[in-house]
Amino acid sequence: MASKSRSSASKAVSKDNSSLKTGAEIIVDTLIKLGVDTMFGYPGGVVLPLFDKLYDAPINFIIPRHEQGGCHMADAYARASGKVGVVLATSGPGACNLVTGLATANMDSIPLVAMTGQVRTELIGNDAFQEADTTGVTRPVTKYNCIVKDVKDLARLIKEAFHIASTGRPGPVLIDLPVDVQVNKASTDGPDKIELPGYRIRTKGHARQISMAAEAINNSRQPVLYVGGGVIIANASDELRALAQKANLPVTTTLLGLGSYDQSRPESLDMLGMHGTAYANFAVQECDLLIAVGARFDDRVTGKLDSFAPNAKIIHIDIDPSSISKNVHVDIPVVGDAKEILAEMIKEVKPQPRKKWFSKIAEWKKKFPLRYDKNSSQVKPQYVIDELWRQTKGRAIITTGVGQNQMWAAQFYHFSMPRQFISSGGLGTMGFGLPAAIGAQIAKPDMTVIDIDGDHSFNMTLTEIPTAVEHNLPIKVCILNNGYMGMVRQWQELFYGRRYSKSYLANPDYATVACALGAVGKTCDKKADVPKVIKAMLAEKRPCVVDFRIEREENVWPMVAAGKSLDEMDGLDILERLI
Amino acid sequence: MKHIISALVENKPGVLAQVAGMFAARAFNIDSLVVGRTEDPKLSRMTIVVIGDDRVVEQVRKQLAKVVPVVKVQDFVGEPVVARDLMLISIVAPPEKRPEILSLIEMFKGKVVDLGLKLVMVEVSGPEAKIEAFINACKPYGIKSVARTGTIAMPRTAKTEP
Ligand SMILES: Cc1cc2nc3c(=O)[nH]c(=O)nc-3n(C[C@H](O)[C@H](O)[C@H](O)COP(=O)(O)OP(=O)(O)OC[C@H]3O[C@@H](n4cnc5c(N)ncnc54)[C@H](O)[C@@H]3O)c2cc1C
Ligand SMILES: Cc1ncc(C[n+]2csc(CCOP(=O)(O)OP(=O)(O)O)c2C)c(N)n1
Ligand SMILES: [Mg+2]
């Protein structure tokens, strides 16, 4: 093999050939050294040298049916495990199919390394077969990307990619690998220390800022902790709990923060925002101090910006300086890692009863709980989720599609553990649920993983069912089948005079589809059957798809319409009328 | 308000695209952007003139710093700086107008760098306002074409760079 080498590097390096490795070998060796034991990817012409090395590498390799699915799998693997997800695709079409997955991970700050094949370096720019300007296409949807032009840089660039993906505010990093770089030889394992002069992360919070924040908490009568995905990324749930309990602070989380705080605790206000609880939104609007931790003041959270938390001083703890004062002016910024900062803050906060504030909150909780019509004869989506929660004792990993199904999952499954809720928040990518369940199940083989999906979200990536079948993954897919793009239909009902324009599509019979694809398929169209169907589903060892034929025009309440303040929620009257 | 932002960047392929792409993606307005080498072969300097209120420019600064190969970002607003543009301008200059035009060039400390039958090419450098003023002064004669560099700048008090 060495004798056939056309490598230029082998000429340049004056070592004997035995210590030289091909680019493909360097990639695999570096990945293994970095602790990678699981990868997702799809082959193609220009990644064949690498695939050849993966043939007998000690890496669990999962081939999706579409690169987008593979990217979501790697993303959810990262969300569930806290490790870096790794995905591999060929040049051109393979690389382009990763784009949605990369953008999804980028918006939600998920650590991912994507590797793509590329045409030979000397062909780049010539419109070669299956050439796409992958770094150009993916630049806006990655934290960083680069192309490796010389095999001598390969090990270093892979190490840098993992470092950049997993530190600071995490995100996807893409490395483009021309086929000749995979074949050429070099002797280097890359440097032991990573040197990136332009990439410095501050994790330790400024002591004075921390003291100011703690003092503001001690002086506050009506504080609210507003917690986001950053707390999960930072593995800071223990510190968060300690702070909230010591200083006696009510806690609301964003969609991506769900699980960072045990929702069964009395100080939990559940989710805030567009489809958050009334008590969370009221508390934010009336608080005198808002303590944002690893949250980014997304417009689905703040509602109308001018009237967001109008009486509050704002503390913002975030590792990314550009997150601070981006949307909302912050009074006390603390830049750094949430875990380190919260641990410091705990020492300086004092216990406070805040009786009046908590009794006000208790009143809101009593008056405006999340509710649904339990007397309806139909299968209510909230009931399905309620029952899932009961039967799994609240301990399943939940992934979601996008739309109403996602909001109901967020509202009615009560989360108590970080990394338990896996959902595309920032990009809102339909089709995320099923591949995400696969990635999460691979990361957590002993946990029950349930994809609570929408019919149309499921339609987008159901091609991954055979992937789950192939790997014997006992994932469960609960399709909340309303026959509509329900969230679109809800907006059309509310804002477009019930003109349901193009939000309906004929669906297949999902149970039949599931069976044909090798999974277990079930249908549930009777309310009375819900508990036993769920019980049977949970007992399945094979991938199982259940088509719940839910009430077709059920809406998600409450709702803060676009441009409204957080406390101007629609649907509270509807919820109040239910008992 | 106009801000001159100076960014030291690693001299790596793709850096310009990363910075320019970030500006476009975040809808920041660039007035000018100049890239050139520095005393350190590993680093280039980008001088970027942006217009925006304080909040926007603060985001520009933070987002720039976030681009991985960007090593250091400075906003020169409120600091004493030397800021210069360079321009090549080709002016319609028939023989009878040449004395007038030459004295104009003299006034602006410009340099004639090329002379044709009908056109004179002039090199002018200086603060942006001076360049603008020269362009205005040339308008009555007719301007054939203009090439400008955009602003480069350096703070007046010697500051140590990394
Ligand atoms: C149909 C639909 C409806 C939605 N409705 C809602 C809704 O009602 N309510 C809601 O909340 N969301 C909703 N979302 C989600 C919303 O779009 C955003 O994705 C979400 O609110 C963002 O969550 P976050 O603020 O926690 O930010 P994330 O995107 O999780 O950002 C994390 C933040 O933490 C920081 N960070 C990262 N690591 C660390 C660390 N180690 N230490 C400190 N900080 C760190 C990051 O810099 C970033 O600022 C909805 C989405 C969809 C698709
Ligand atoms: C890839 C993609 N395309 C379009 C949208 C816009 N969109 C948001 S929700 C939604 C409807 C989702 O329908 P379904 O999956 O059936 O969920 P439901 O709301 O009915 O629960 C659409 C089309 C999106 N979020 N993602
Ligand atoms: Mg639907």
Side-chain angles (χ1 to χ4, degrees):
Chain A
M1 193 174 143
S3 60
K4 265 174 49 187
S5 167
R6 284 183 286 143
S7 147
S8 56
S10 62
K11 275 176 245 152
V13 179
S14 60
K15 280 198 177 166
D16 71 295
N17 252 8
S18 60
S19 65
L20 293 179
K21 287 195 261 183
T22 65
E25 283 169 333
I26 291 172
I27 294 167
V28 173
D29 288 355
T30 309
L31 291 177
I32 290 170
K33 254 186 235 150
L34 288 165
V36 174
D37 56 15
T38 306
M39 278 174 77
F40 304 84
Y42 207 90
V46 294
V47 277
L48 285 180
L50 182 50
F51 271 79
D52 188 60
K53 283 297 154 238
L54 289 165
Y55 186 68
D56 41 17
I59 290 178
N60 182 21
F61 198 95
I62 287 93
I63 308 149
R65 269 47 176 176
H66 185 294
E67 287 90 347
Q68 180 189 346
C71 202
H72 291 325
M73 288 173 201
D75 168 322
Y77 176 87
R79 294 189 202 225
S81 67
K83 294 197 267 185
V84 178
V86 185
V87 62
L88 174 57
T90 192
S91 64
C96 288
N97 275 349
L98 293 180
V99 170
T100 307
L102 292 171
T104 303
N106 196 44
M107 282 294 260
D108 292 348
S109 306
I110 304 304
L112 203 69
V113 169
M115 290 182 289
T116 47
Q118 184 54 278
V119 301
R120 303 182 62 82
T121 38
E122 74 264 24
L123 292 181
I124 290 174
N126 284 3
D127 300 326
F129 176 64
Q130 294 198 325
E131 178 182 1
D133 174 9
T134 302
T135 51
V137 169
T138 60
R139 187 171 299 119
V141 295
T142 51
K143 182 175 175 184
Y144 181 65
N145 72 16
C146 64
I147 178 164
V148 186
K149 293 260 180 80
D150 185 335
V151 67
K152 289 202 288 296
D153 298 329
L154 187 52
R156 174 176 61 84
L157 290 171
I158 294 173
K159 287 181 180 178
E160 286 177 2
F162 275 76
H163 179 69
I164 293 169
S166 61
T167 54
R169 178 179 185 164
V173 176
L174 181 138
I175 322 177
D176 206 22
L177 302 163
V179 62
D180 48 322
V181 170
Q182 300 167 44
V183 176
N184 289 348
K185 293 188 169 188
S187 65
T188 166
D189 287 337
D192 293 326
K193 232 182 103 225
I194 283 161
E195 275 175 56
L196 291 162
Y199 185 75
R200 262 161 302 184
I201 301 296
R202 179 192 189 133
T203 59
K204 199 167 150 20
H206 195 290
R208 235 182 66 82
Q209 296 296 104
I210 292 175
S211 296
M212 271 168 66
E215 195 185 314
I217 292 173
N218 292 337
N219 292 332
S220 158
R221 290 154 160 269
Q222 309 196 147
V224 170
L225 260 168
Y226 148 47
V227 174
V231 167
I232 293 173
I233 294 166
N235 295 314
S237 290
D238 291 346
E239 290 77 6
L240 175 69
R241 190 189 329 107
L243 178 77
Q245 287 172 19
K246 180 170 177 197
N248 213 12
L249 307 168
V251 183
T252 179
T253 78
T254 66
L255 182 77
L256 293 179
L258 285 171
S260 63
Y261 203 82
D262 184 349
Q263 288 187 274
S264 68
R265 296 214 34 109
E267 65 276 13
S268 169
L269 302 175
D270 306 315
M271 184 173 84
L272 81 165
M274 178 177 270
H275 292 297
T277 62
Y279 38 96
N281 288 344
F282 285 141
V284 167
Q285 289 305 87
E286 292 209 6
C287 72
D288 62 10
L289 179 71
L290 189 70
I291 310 143
V293 192
R296 58 183 177 80
F297 296 86
D298 184 85
D299 49 275
R300 293 246 150 156
V301 164
T302 59
K304 189 170 154 206
L305 270 179
D306 308 337
S307 53
F308 174 68
N311 312 315
K313 196 176 207 175
I314 298 182
I315 298 172
H316 190 183
I317 300 172
D318 204 293
I319 202 157
D320 177 0
S322 74
S323 246
I324 285 166
S325 291
K326 184 174 66 180
N327 302 333
V328 171
H329 172 77
V330 171
D331 301 288
I332 308 177
V334 193
V335 175
D337 177 55
K339 193 178 179 78
E340 292 188 30
I341 293 167
L342 292 178
E344 289 303 312
M345 257 164 76
I346 294 164
K347 298 180 195 155
E348 298 184 38
V349 295
K350 297 195 188 81
Q352 294 261 4
R354 305 189 219 276
K355 278 224 182 69
K356 259 181 140 172
W357 181 225
F358 274 98
S359 72
K360 202 169 195 181
I361 288 171
E363 262 170 53
W364 287 324
K365 279 194 169 183
K366 206 165 137 218
K367 193 152 182 234
F368 306 110
L370 290 172
R371 268 196 281 231
Y372 62 93
D373 183 4
K374 292 191 170 152
N375 299 320
S376 160
S377 58
Q378 307 227 28
V379 178
K380 287 280 182 181
Q382 303 94 330
Y383 172 54
V384 173
I385 296 168
D386 224 1
E387 191 58 31
L388 280 172
W389 176 72
R390 245 191 308 279
Q391 292 200 26
T392 56
K393 303 191 174 58
R395 313 220 33 103
I397 291 180
I398 303 294
T399 70
T400 74
V402 168
Q404 294 183 314
N405 60 90
Q406 178 183 29
M407 294 299 109
W408 287 319
Q411 290 181 334
F412 289 91
Y413 198 97
H414 312 287
F415 298 91
S416 58
M417 304 175 289
R419 306 191 179 280
Q420 189 188 1
F421 181 67
I422 294 178
S423 188
S424 166
L427 202 68
T429 308
M430 286 171 73
F432 181 73
L434 171 62
I438 294 173
Q441 186 76 78
I442 287 165
K444 297 282 169 186
D446 299 328
M447 287 188 72
T448 301
V449 177
I450 304 173
D451 167 27
I452 296 178
D453 220 330
D455 43 337
H456 292 291
S457 294
F458 182 67
N459 286 342
M460 289 205 174
T461 53
L462 61 80
T463 186
E464 300 302 344
I465 287 286
T467 314
V469 172
E470 179 196 341
H471 293 276
N472 282 316
L473 301 172
I475 57 158
K476 330 287 178 209
V477 179
C478 296
I479 305 171
L480 302 178
N481 185 356
N482 48 17
Y484 279 114
M485 300 174 194
M487 187 56 90
V488 172
R489 188 208 54 74
Q490 177 169 345
W491 282 53
Q492 289 171 334
E493 176 186 332
L494 301 176
F495 313 121
Y496 294 90
R498 291 178 187 263
R499 287 158 55 85
Y500 296 158
S501 177
K502 328 292 183 204
S503 53
Y504 168 83
L505 280 168
N507 281 326
D509 180 64
Y510 291 112
T512 310
V513 171
C515 291
L517 296 175
V520 177
K522 296 178 192 294
T523 308
C524 178
D525 53 7
K526 285 188 205 64
K527 185 182 177 186
D529 292 344
V530 170
K532 68 168 188 262
V533 172
I534 289 179
K535 187 154 183 256
M537 173 189 84
L538 291 173
E540 277 298 340
K541 295 277 173 278
R542 287 195 292 147
C544 181
V545 177
V546 185
D547 179 359
F548 290 97
R549 305 282 169 88
I550 62 164
E551 163 126 29
R552 297 207 47 207
E553 299 200 7
E554 182 70 10
N555 284 331
V556 182
W557 302 120
M559 173 173 188
V560 181
K564 291 272 179 69
S565 303
L566 268 193
D567 48 7
E568 297 177 275
M569 279 165 281
D570 292 325
L572 290 185
D573 51 330
I574 298 170
L575 293 179
E576 263 191 293
R577 263 182 265 124
L578 303 168
I579 347 141
Chain B
M1 185 165 179
K2 203 175 241 183
H3 289 245
I4 303 174
I5 292 180
S6 167
L8 270 183
V9 304
E10 280 189 84
N11 211 345
K12 280 184 180 171
V15 182
L16 178 60
Q18 277 169 35
V19 169
M22 184 280 288
F23 272 88
R26 300 213 173 253
F28 296 142
N29 284 318
I30 305 183
D31 198 53
S32 69
L33 188 157
V34 181
V35 198
R37 285 193 282 253
T38 63
E39 70 287 356
D40 181 343
K42 291 215 260 329
L43 298 174
S44 297
R45 186 181 299 279
M46 289 188 185
T47 310
I48 306 157
V49 178
V50 282
I51 298 165
D53 59 30
D54 288 353
R55 224 175 57 100
V56 169
V57 176
E58 186 187 332
Q59 265 297 310
V60 169
R61 219 171 23 78
K62 288 172 168 179
Q63 294 293 351
L64 254 178
K66 209 166 125 172
V67 175
V68 172
V70 172
V71 178
K72 185 176 176 180
V73 180
Q74 276 175 293
D75 182 350
F76 289 144
V77 78
E79 276 192 63
V81 287
V82 179
R84 293 289 180 270
D85 278 38
L86 174 68
M87 169 171 70
L88 294 176
I89 182 168
S90 171
I91 309 159
V92 180
E96 70 276 15
K97 296 274 183 190
R98 281 189 192 168
E100 257 177 65
I101 292 176
L102 283 175
S103 71
L104 187 66
I105 295 169
E106 183 83 357
M107 267 158 64
F108 279 85
K109 298 214 168 64
K111 240 197 289 176
V112 175
V113 287
D114 189 36
L115 191 61
L117 279 179
K118 289 202 189 90
L119 295 172
V120 55
M121 194 203 299
V122 182
E123 172 191 322
V124 194
S125 72
E128 203 189 346
K130 174 181 158 189
I131 307 275
E132 299 288 351
F134 185 70
I135 293 174
N136 282 332
C138 293
K139 270 185 188 154
Y141 305 103
I143 295 169
K144 186 81 189 353
S145 58
V146 167
R148 293 174 63 171
T149 57
T151 304
I152 56 168
M154 222 181 240
R156 279 188 188 272
T157 37
K159 279 194 172 173
T160 42
E161 296 282 335

